[in-house]
Short mmCIF file of all heavy atoms in Angstrom, two decimals:
data_model
loop_
_atom_site.label_atom_id
_atom_site.label_comp_id
_atom_site.label_asym_id
_atom_site.label_seq_id
_atom_site.Cartn_x
_atom_site.Cartn_y
_atom_site.Cartn_z
N ALA Y 1206 76.89 92.44 101.65
CA ALA Y 1206 77.46 91.11 101.84
C ALA Y 1206 78.92 91.08 101.45
O ALA Y 1206 79.74 90.40 102.11
CB ALA Y 1206 76.66 90.09 101.01
N THR Y 1207 79.28 91.75 100.38
CA THR Y 1207 80.70 91.81 99.97
C THR Y 1207 81.54 92.50 101.06
O THR Y 1207 82.62 92.00 101.40
CB THR Y 1207 80.81 92.54 98.63
OG1 THR Y 1207 80.22 91.75 97.61
CG2 THR Y 1207 82.28 92.80 98.28
N LEU Y 1208 81.05 93.60 101.56
CA LEU Y 1208 81.80 94.32 102.60
C LEU Y 1208 81.95 93.48 103.86
O LEU Y 1208 83.00 93.50 104.50
CB LEU Y 1208 81.14 95.66 102.92
CG LEU Y 1208 81.15 96.67 101.74
CD1 LEU Y 1208 80.39 97.94 102.14
CD2 LEU Y 1208 82.54 97.00 101.32
N ARG Y 1209 80.90 92.74 104.23
CA ARG Y 1209 81.02 91.87 105.39
C ARG Y 1209 82.09 90.77 105.14
O ARG Y 1209 82.81 90.40 106.05
CB ARG Y 1209 79.68 91.20 105.69
CG ARG Y 1209 78.62 92.11 106.29
CD ARG Y 1209 77.47 91.31 106.94
NE ARG Y 1209 76.81 90.46 105.98
CZ ARG Y 1209 75.79 90.80 105.23
NH1 ARG Y 1209 75.30 92.01 105.30
NH2 ARG Y 1209 75.23 89.93 104.39
N GLY Y 1210 82.11 90.29 103.93
CA GLY Y 1210 83.09 89.27 103.60
C GLY Y 1210 84.51 89.79 103.68
O GLY Y 1210 85.44 89.09 104.17
N ILE Y 1211 84.72 91.02 103.23
CA ILE Y 1211 86.06 91.62 103.31
C ILE Y 1211 86.47 91.79 104.76
O ILE Y 1211 87.57 91.47 105.14
CB ILE Y 1211 86.06 92.98 102.59
CG1 ILE Y 1211 85.81 92.78 101.07
CG2 ILE Y 1211 87.34 93.74 102.83
CD1 ILE Y 1211 85.57 94.05 100.30
N GLU Y 1212 85.55 92.28 105.58
CA GLU Y 1212 85.83 92.46 106.98
C GLU Y 1212 86.13 91.10 107.66
O GLU Y 1212 87.03 90.97 108.49
CB GLU Y 1212 84.65 93.11 107.69
CG GLU Y 1212 84.41 94.55 107.23
CD GLU Y 1212 83.06 95.10 107.70
OE1 GLU Y 1212 82.34 94.34 108.44
OE2 GLU Y 1212 82.72 96.22 107.38
N GLY Y 1213 85.38 90.07 107.26
CA GLY Y 1213 85.60 88.75 107.81
C GLY Y 1213 86.95 88.18 107.45
O GLY Y 1213 87.62 87.51 108.26
N ALA Y 1214 87.40 88.47 106.22
CA ALA Y 1214 88.72 87.99 105.77
C ALA Y 1214 89.80 88.60 106.60
O ALA Y 1214 90.76 87.96 107.05
CB ALA Y 1214 88.88 88.29 104.29
N ALA Y 1215 89.71 89.93 106.82
CA ALA Y 1215 90.72 90.63 107.62
C ALA Y 1215 90.73 90.10 109.06
O ALA Y 1215 91.82 89.87 109.63
CB ALA Y 1215 90.48 92.12 107.56
N ALA Y 1216 89.54 89.90 109.62
CA ALA Y 1216 89.44 89.43 110.99
C ALA Y 1216 90.00 88.02 111.17
O ALA Y 1216 90.51 87.67 112.20
CB ALA Y 1216 87.99 89.46 111.45
N ALA Y 1217 89.94 87.23 110.09
CA ALA Y 1217 90.46 85.84 110.14
C ALA Y 1217 91.96 85.75 109.94
O ALA Y 1217 92.54 84.68 110.04
CB ALA Y 1217 89.74 84.98 109.10
N GLY Y 1218 92.58 86.91 109.68
CA GLY Y 1218 94.05 86.91 109.52
C GLY Y 1218 94.52 86.91 108.10
O GLY Y 1218 95.73 86.71 107.85
N LEU Y 1219 93.62 87.10 107.12
CA LEU Y 1219 94.05 87.11 105.74
C LEU Y 1219 94.51 88.49 105.30
O LEU Y 1219 94.21 88.95 104.19
CB LEU Y 1219 92.89 86.65 104.84
CG LEU Y 1219 92.56 85.16 104.98
CD1 LEU Y 1219 91.23 84.86 104.30
CD2 LEU Y 1219 93.68 84.33 104.40
N ALA Y 1220 95.20 89.18 106.19
CA ALA Y 1220 95.66 90.54 105.91
C ALA Y 1220 97.04 90.50 105.28
O ALA Y 1220 97.86 89.61 105.60
CB ALA Y 1220 95.68 91.36 107.19
N PRO Y 1221 97.37 91.46 104.40
CA PRO Y 1221 96.45 92.51 103.95
C PRO Y 1221 95.50 91.99 102.85
O PRO Y 1221 95.94 91.33 101.92
CB PRO Y 1221 97.36 93.57 103.39
CG PRO Y 1221 98.55 92.80 102.89
CD PRO Y 1221 98.70 91.65 103.83
N VAL Y 1222 94.22 92.24 103.03
CA VAL Y 1222 93.26 91.90 102.00
C VAL Y 1222 93.53 92.78 100.79
O VAL Y 1222 93.70 93.98 100.88
CB VAL Y 1222 91.83 92.13 102.51
CG1 VAL Y 1222 90.81 91.90 101.40
CG2 VAL Y 1222 91.53 91.22 103.69
N LYS Y 1223 93.55 92.13 99.60
CA LYS Y 1223 93.74 92.89 98.36
C LYS Y 1223 92.39 93.09 97.68
O LYS Y 1223 91.59 92.14 97.62
CB LYS Y 1223 94.72 92.15 97.43
CG LYS Y 1223 96.11 92.11 97.95
CD LYS Y 1223 97.10 91.52 96.93
CE LYS Y 1223 98.52 91.57 97.45
NZ LYS Y 1223 99.49 91.04 96.43
N LEU Y 1224 92.17 94.29 97.21
CA LEU Y 1224 90.91 94.64 96.52
C LEU Y 1224 91.23 94.85 95.04
O LEU Y 1224 92.17 95.56 94.70
CB LEU Y 1224 90.28 95.88 97.10
CG LEU Y 1224 89.98 95.86 98.62
CD1 LEU Y 1224 89.36 97.18 99.04
CD2 LEU Y 1224 89.09 94.70 98.98
N ASN Y 1225 90.42 94.28 94.17
CA ASN Y 1225 90.54 94.46 92.73
C ASN Y 1225 89.36 95.29 92.22
O ASN Y 1225 88.20 94.90 92.49
CB ASN Y 1225 90.56 93.13 92.00
CG ASN Y 1225 91.81 92.32 92.34
OD1 ASN Y 1225 92.81 92.84 92.79
ND2 ASN Y 1225 91.73 91.01 92.12
N THR Y 1226 89.64 96.31 91.46
CA THR Y 1226 88.56 97.19 90.95
C THR Y 1226 88.68 97.36 89.45
O THR Y 1226 89.77 97.66 88.93
CB THR Y 1226 88.66 98.58 91.61
OG1 THR Y 1226 88.41 98.47 93.01
CG2 THR Y 1226 87.59 99.52 91.01
N VAL Y 1227 87.58 97.17 88.74
CA VAL Y 1227 87.48 97.46 87.30
C VAL Y 1227 86.58 98.70 87.16
O VAL Y 1227 85.44 98.69 87.65
CB VAL Y 1227 86.90 96.27 86.54
CG1 VAL Y 1227 86.68 96.65 85.03
CG2 VAL Y 1227 87.76 95.04 86.64
N LEU Y 1228 87.10 99.73 86.55
CA LEU Y 1228 86.33 100.93 86.32
C LEU Y 1228 85.65 100.89 84.96
O LEU Y 1228 86.29 100.52 83.96
CB LEU Y 1228 87.21 102.19 86.44
CG LEU Y 1228 87.86 102.44 87.76
CD1 LEU Y 1228 88.72 103.71 87.72
CD2 LEU Y 1228 86.82 102.55 88.89
N MET Y 1229 84.38 101.22 84.95
CA MET Y 1229 83.58 101.22 83.72
C MET Y 1229 83.17 102.66 83.40
O MET Y 1229 82.63 103.35 84.28
CB MET Y 1229 82.30 100.37 83.90
CG MET Y 1229 82.58 98.97 84.44
SD MET Y 1229 82.98 97.82 83.08
CE MET Y 1229 81.44 97.67 82.27
N ARG Y 1230 83.44 103.07 82.17
CA ARG Y 1230 83.13 104.45 81.80
C ARG Y 1230 81.65 104.76 81.92
O ARG Y 1230 80.82 104.00 81.43
CB ARG Y 1230 83.62 104.70 80.37
CG ARG Y 1230 83.71 106.21 80.02
CD ARG Y 1230 84.35 106.43 78.66
NE ARG Y 1230 85.68 105.86 78.53
CZ ARG Y 1230 86.78 106.41 79.03
NH1 ARG Y 1230 86.71 107.54 79.75
NH2 ARG Y 1230 87.94 105.85 78.87
N GLY Y 1231 81.35 105.85 82.62
CA GLY Y 1231 79.97 106.27 82.76
C GLY Y 1231 79.25 105.50 83.84
O GLY Y 1231 78.06 105.75 84.08
N VAL Y 1232 79.93 104.58 84.54
CA VAL Y 1232 79.26 103.79 85.58
C VAL Y 1232 79.93 104.06 86.92
O VAL Y 1232 79.28 104.58 87.88
CB VAL Y 1232 79.30 102.28 85.27
CG1 VAL Y 1232 78.61 101.49 86.37
CG2 VAL Y 1232 78.66 102.02 83.93
N ASN Y 1233 81.20 103.70 87.06
CA ASN Y 1233 81.92 103.89 88.33
C ASN Y 1233 83.27 104.57 88.14
O ASN Y 1233 84.15 104.49 89.02
CB ASN Y 1233 82.10 102.56 89.05
CG ASN Y 1233 82.97 101.61 88.27
OD1 ASN Y 1233 83.11 101.72 87.04
ND2 ASN Y 1233 83.59 100.65 88.96
N ASP Y 1234 83.49 105.21 86.98
CA ASP Y 1234 84.81 105.75 86.67
C ASP Y 1234 85.22 106.97 87.48
O ASP Y 1234 86.37 107.37 87.43
CB ASP Y 1234 84.91 106.05 85.16
CG ASP Y 1234 83.80 106.97 84.67
OD1 ASP Y 1234 82.73 106.97 85.29
OD2 ASP Y 1234 84.01 107.65 83.65
N THR Y 1235 84.31 107.51 88.26
CA THR Y 1235 84.66 108.65 89.12
C THR Y 1235 84.99 108.22 90.55
O THR Y 1235 85.31 109.05 91.41
CB THR Y 1235 83.50 109.66 89.20
OG1 THR Y 1235 82.36 109.04 89.78
CG2 THR Y 1235 83.15 110.16 87.79
N GLU Y 1236 84.95 106.94 90.83
CA GLU Y 1236 85.09 106.45 92.20
C GLU Y 1236 86.48 106.08 92.66
O GLU Y 1236 86.67 105.68 93.79
CB GLU Y 1236 84.16 105.23 92.41
CG GLU Y 1236 82.68 105.57 92.37
CD GLU Y 1236 81.84 104.41 92.90
OE1 GLU Y 1236 82.14 103.92 93.99
OE2 GLU Y 1236 80.88 104.03 92.21
N ALA Y 1237 87.46 106.21 91.77
CA ALA Y 1237 88.81 105.76 92.12
C ALA Y 1237 89.33 106.42 93.42
O ALA Y 1237 89.82 105.69 94.29
CB ALA Y 1237 89.76 106.02 90.96
N PRO Y 1238 89.26 107.72 93.58
CA PRO Y 1238 89.76 108.32 94.83
C PRO Y 1238 89.02 107.81 96.08
O PRO Y 1238 89.68 107.51 97.12
CB PRO Y 1238 89.55 109.82 94.64
CG PRO Y 1238 89.56 110.01 93.16
CD PRO Y 1238 88.85 108.78 92.62
N ALA Y 1239 87.70 107.68 96.00
CA ALA Y 1239 86.96 107.21 97.18
C ALA Y 1239 87.32 105.79 97.52
O ALA Y 1239 87.46 105.44 98.70
CB ALA Y 1239 85.45 107.32 96.89
N LEU Y 1240 87.53 104.95 96.53
CA LEU Y 1240 87.93 103.58 96.78
C LEU Y 1240 89.30 103.50 97.41
O LEU Y 1240 89.56 102.68 98.31
CB LEU Y 1240 87.90 102.78 95.48
CG LEU Y 1240 86.47 102.39 95.01
CD1 LEU Y 1240 86.49 102.05 93.51
CD2 LEU Y 1240 85.95 101.17 95.80
N LEU Y 1241 90.20 104.37 96.97
CA LEU Y 1241 91.55 104.39 97.57
C LEU Y 1241 91.50 104.86 99.01
O LEU Y 1241 92.16 104.30 99.89
CB LEU Y 1241 92.50 105.24 96.73
CG LEU Y 1241 93.95 105.27 97.21
CD1 LEU Y 1241 94.49 103.85 97.41
CD2 LEU Y 1241 94.81 106.04 96.21
N ARG Y 1242 90.70 105.87 99.28
CA ARG Y 1242 90.56 106.34 100.66
C ARG Y 1242 90.02 105.22 101.54
O ARG Y 1242 90.48 105.01 102.67
CB ARG Y 1242 89.67 107.59 100.71
CG ARG Y 1242 90.33 108.86 100.24
CD ARG Y 1242 89.49 110.08 100.64
NE ARG Y 1242 88.21 110.09 99.93
CZ ARG Y 1242 88.01 110.65 98.74
NH1 ARG Y 1242 88.99 111.25 98.11
NH2 ARG Y 1242 86.80 110.65 98.19
N PHE Y 1243 89.03 104.49 101.05
CA PHE Y 1243 88.45 103.40 101.78
C PHE Y 1243 89.48 102.31 102.08
O PHE Y 1243 89.59 101.82 103.20
CB PHE Y 1243 87.29 102.81 100.96
CG PHE Y 1243 86.73 101.51 101.48
CD1 PHE Y 1243 85.85 101.48 102.56
CD2 PHE Y 1243 87.11 100.30 100.89
CE1 PHE Y 1243 85.34 100.27 103.05
CE2 PHE Y 1243 86.62 99.11 101.39
CZ PHE Y 1243 85.70 99.09 102.46
N ALA Y 1244 90.24 101.96 101.07
CA ALA Y 1244 91.27 100.93 101.23
C ALA Y 1244 92.33 101.33 102.27
O ALA Y 1244 92.71 100.53 103.16
CB ALA Y 1244 91.94 100.63 99.89
N ILE Y 1245 92.79 102.56 102.18
CA ILE Y 1245 93.81 103.02 103.12
C ILE Y 1245 93.27 103.06 104.54
O ILE Y 1245 93.94 102.64 105.51
CB ILE Y 1245 94.33 104.42 102.68
CG1 ILE Y 1245 95.10 104.30 101.36
CG2 ILE Y 1245 95.20 105.01 103.78
CD1 ILE Y 1245 95.49 105.65 100.79
N ALA Y 1246 92.05 103.50 104.69
CA ALA Y 1246 91.46 103.63 106.04
C ALA Y 1246 91.34 102.26 106.72
O ALA Y 1246 91.42 102.18 107.95
CB ALA Y 1246 90.08 104.28 105.94
N HIS Y 1247 91.14 101.19 105.94
CA HIS Y 1247 90.94 99.87 106.51
C HIS Y 1247 92.16 98.97 106.40
O HIS Y 1247 92.12 97.81 106.84
CB HIS Y 1247 89.75 99.19 105.84
CG HIS Y 1247 88.44 99.83 106.13
ND1 HIS Y 1247 87.97 100.92 105.42
CD2 HIS Y 1247 87.49 99.53 107.07
CE1 HIS Y 1247 86.78 101.26 105.94
NE2 HIS Y 1247 86.47 100.45 106.90
N GLY Y 1248 93.26 99.48 105.82
CA GLY Y 1248 94.47 98.65 105.71
C GLY Y 1248 94.42 97.66 104.61
O GLY Y 1248 95.16 96.66 104.63
N TYR Y 1249 93.55 97.86 103.62
CA TYR Y 1249 93.49 96.98 102.44
C TYR Y 1249 94.43 97.49 101.36
O TYR Y 1249 94.83 98.64 101.34
CB TYR Y 1249 92.08 96.92 101.88
CG TYR Y 1249 90.98 96.60 102.90
CD1 TYR Y 1249 89.74 97.18 102.81
CD2 TYR Y 1249 91.21 95.67 103.92
CE1 TYR Y 1249 88.73 96.87 103.74
CE2 TYR Y 1249 90.23 95.35 104.82
CZ TYR Y 1249 88.98 95.97 104.75
OH TYR Y 1249 88.00 95.67 105.67
N GLN Y 1250 94.78 96.62 100.44
CA GLN Y 1250 95.63 96.99 99.30
C GLN Y 1250 94.76 97.00 98.04
O GLN Y 1250 94.17 95.99 97.67
CB GLN Y 1250 96.79 96.01 99.13
CG GLN Y 1250 97.82 96.11 100.24
CD GLN Y 1250 99.03 95.21 100.00
OE1 GLN Y 1250 99.09 94.50 99.01
NE2 GLN Y 1250 99.95 95.27 100.93
N LEU Y 1251 94.70 98.16 97.38
CA LEU Y 1251 93.81 98.32 96.22
C LEU Y 1251 94.59 98.27 94.92
O LEU Y 1251 95.69 98.85 94.83
CB LEU Y 1251 93.14 99.70 96.34
CG LEU Y 1251 92.19 100.10 95.24
CD1 LEU Y 1251 91.00 99.12 95.09
CD2 LEU Y 1251 91.67 101.51 95.43
N ARG Y 1252 94.00 97.58 93.96
CA ARG Y 1252 94.58 97.50 92.62
C ARG Y 1252 93.46 97.72 91.61
O ARG Y 1252 92.40 97.09 91.66
CB ARG Y 1252 95.22 96.11 92.36
CG ARG Y 1252 96.27 95.73 93.33
CD ARG Y 1252 96.96 94.45 92.94
NE ARG Y 1252 96.04 93.37 92.65
CZ ARG Y 1252 96.40 92.19 92.17
NH1 ARG Y 1252 97.65 91.96 91.90
NH2 ARG Y 1252 95.48 91.26 91.95
#
């Protein structure tokens, strides 16, 4: 549902969509590179 919402925002002209990420140790702290690749591929801005 979150990903559909992001896609909908971009389609409605709210580009560039900005993404905010909080990394949690031992939970998602290894995902930073994958999230950045995802953002670049879709034209989103990641923070």
Side-chain angles (χ1 to χ4, degrees):
T1207 293
L1208 294 177
R1209 287 196 302 271
I1211 294 170
E1212 294 168 2
L1219 291 169
V1222 174
K1223 293 187 177 182
L1224 305 179
N1225 294 339
T1226 297
V1227 176
L1228 296 180
M1229 307 276 290
R1230 196 173 302 282
V1232 180
N1233 64 336
D1234 53 336
T1235 63
E1236 291 194 49
L1240 284 160
L1241 182 52
R1242 285 192 295 271
F1243 170 80
I1245 293 173
H1247 291 84
Y1249 307 143
Q1250 291 186 359
L1251 178 61
R1252 304 187 309 174

